[in-house]
């Protein structure tokens, strides 16, 4: 909801504000108040957000980062998928659709690196080169699925991309293997990406995401410097 509001209106209430039982009218009033305050608006704001190449981690991401630093040999924060697409699917067309979808979500091409302040931040790599290998397999479906289930992918957080795609074709089927690091993706964002891959495969033109997790990190940092932090603590204390 925050992303949709941000992309359509140039502003969104925070998560804590939305959790305070905000009605549609409350959201409208928040947007109107934001515009009346004369804060950055329209094309200028969009242009500034488009140029964001680094941002602090959100508190959720920071927790994942610290756990990963304690054990860099673990893949417990990987999100793996193996999809049986069907032998009739066009592997090259699918690869192009995947690339189009990823390019529509700039924050996917981020690494996580130490910041000068001693913390950690997301670093965008807009010109990052990455590939989607298409492999042939002699294994039948059951053996191939078993082999892929046991395959381990280790990510180094400071090295983008923090995702892997691979297309595997055997005599009867076409498979799409995907692995994402949870510091960049969750179940909802993977679902959005899959929808975009499907749309791109069908020939639709995708719109580049304007409000990414980079912007979320910057917005969270700004809000934590205000009374919003104490208010958010009160909200979550009531919930939990």
């Amino acid at each position: 909801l925050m992303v949709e509001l941000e992309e359509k209106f140039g502003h969104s209430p925070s998560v804590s504000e939305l959790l305070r039982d905000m009605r549609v009218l409350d959201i409208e009033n928040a947007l109107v108040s934001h515009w009346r305050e004369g804060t950055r608006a329209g094309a200028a704001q969009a242009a500034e957000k488009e140029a964001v190449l680094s941002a602090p981690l959100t508190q959720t991401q920071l927790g994942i980062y610290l756990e990963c630093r304690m054990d860099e040999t673990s893949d417990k924060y990987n999100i793996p998928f193996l999809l049986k697409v069907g032998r009739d699917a066009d592997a090259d067309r699918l690869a192009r659709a995947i690339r189009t979808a990823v390019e529509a979500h700039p924050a996917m091409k981020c690494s996580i690196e130490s910041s000068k302040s001693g913390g950690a931040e997301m670093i965008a790599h807009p010109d990052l080169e990455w590939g989607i290998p298409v492999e042939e397999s002699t294994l039948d479906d059951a053996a191939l699925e078993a082999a892929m289930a046991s395959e381990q992918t280790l990510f180094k957080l400071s090295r983008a991309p923090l995702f892997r795609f691979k297309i595997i074709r055997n005599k009867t089927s076409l498979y799409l293997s995907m692995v994402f690091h949870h510091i960049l993706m969750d179940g909802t964002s993977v679902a959005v990406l899959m929808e975009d891959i499907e749309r791109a495969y069908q020939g639709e033109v995708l719109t580049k995401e304007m409000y990414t997790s980079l912007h979320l990190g910057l917005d969270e940092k700004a809000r934590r410097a205000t009374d919003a932090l104490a208010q958010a603590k009160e909200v979550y204390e009531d919930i939990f």
Side-chain angles (χ1 to χ4, degrees):
L1 177 59
M2 288 180 64
V3 171
E4 291 178 354
L5 290 170
E6 184 72 39
E7 290 184 344
K8 190 166 185 178
F9 301 107
H11 178 69
S12 170
S14 66
V15 173
S16 58
E17 289 170 335
L18 291 172
L19 287 175
R20 290 195 204 111
D21 297 323
M22 289 190 81
R23 301 166 299 170
V24 174
L25 181 59
D26 296 324
I27 295 175
E28 179 183 345
N29 289 338
L31 293 173
V32 172
S33 296
H34 174 75
W35 295 331
R36 284 177 176 171
E37 289 171 1
T39 52
R40 301 169 303 167
Q45 184 181 21
E48 180 178 338
K49 288 186 172 180
E50 181 71 18
V52 172
L53 295 177
S54 65
L57 300 182
T58 65
Q59 293 300 291
T60 300
Q61 288 177 311
L62 183 59
I64 296 173
Y65 173 77
L66 293 175
E67 282 207 44
C68 290
R69 288 297 303 270
M70 291 190 329
D71 185 2
E72 296 184 350
T73 64
S74 173
D75 63 351
K76 67 180 180 180
Y77 279 109
N78 285 6
I79 306 176
F81 292 90
L82 181 63
L83 303 180
K84 191 174 183 178
V85 181
R87 180 68 184 183
D88 293 336
D90 186 323
D92 292 334
R93 182 177 167 188
L94 177 59
R96 290 194 299 271
I98 293 169
R99 183 173 295 279
T100 298
V102 169
E103 295 298 331
H105 299 278
M108 285 191 67
K109 298 194 299 181
C110 279
S111 60
I112 312 298
E113 303 179 22
S114 299
S115 63
K116 294 180 179 178
S117 64
E121 59 185 357
M122 296 180 67
I123 305 294
H125 303 277
D127 299 323
L128 178 71
E129 296 292 333
W130 56 281
I132 307 171
V134 179
E135 301 179 357
E136 300 288 340
S137 174
T138 58
L139 300 176
D140 62 24
D141 287 2
L144 177 58
E145 290 170 16
M148 294 304 300
S150 63
E151 188 173 273
Q152 185 183 41
T153 299
L154 291 179
F155 292 108
K156 186 174 178 61
L157 292 180
S158 61
R159 185 178 301 159
L162 299 179
F163 60 80
R164 300 284 188 277
F165 291 96
K166 182 165 61 175
I167 297 172
I168 311 105
R169 182 166 41 203
N170 64 7
K171 291 182 178 179
T172 59
S173 305
L174 186 73
Y175 286 88
L176 171 60
S177 170
M178 305 177 292
V179 186
F180 309 97
H181 198 288
H182 187 35
I183 204 164
L184 289 186
M185 304 285 283
D186 59 14
T188 300
S189 53
V190 171
V192 170
L193 180 68
M194 291 304 301
E195 290 176 2
D196 282 349
I197 292 174
E198 171 66 20
R199 291 169 54 208
Y201 188 85
Q202 298 301 330
E204 290 187 41
V205 177
L206 303 184
T207 301
K208 191 173 184 178
E209 185 178 22
M210 297 301 296
Y211 187 86
T212 71
S213 51
L214 289 158
H215 307 114
L216 181 61
L218 290 171
D219 286 349
E220 184 180 285
K221 179 182 179 181
R223 285 173 175 147
R224 286 177 61 83
T226 68
D227 292 339
L229 178 59
Q231 294 169 1
K233 287 181 178 179
E234 291 178 5
V235 170
Y236 284 103
E237 285 175 359
D238 290 339
I239 293 175
F240 299 110

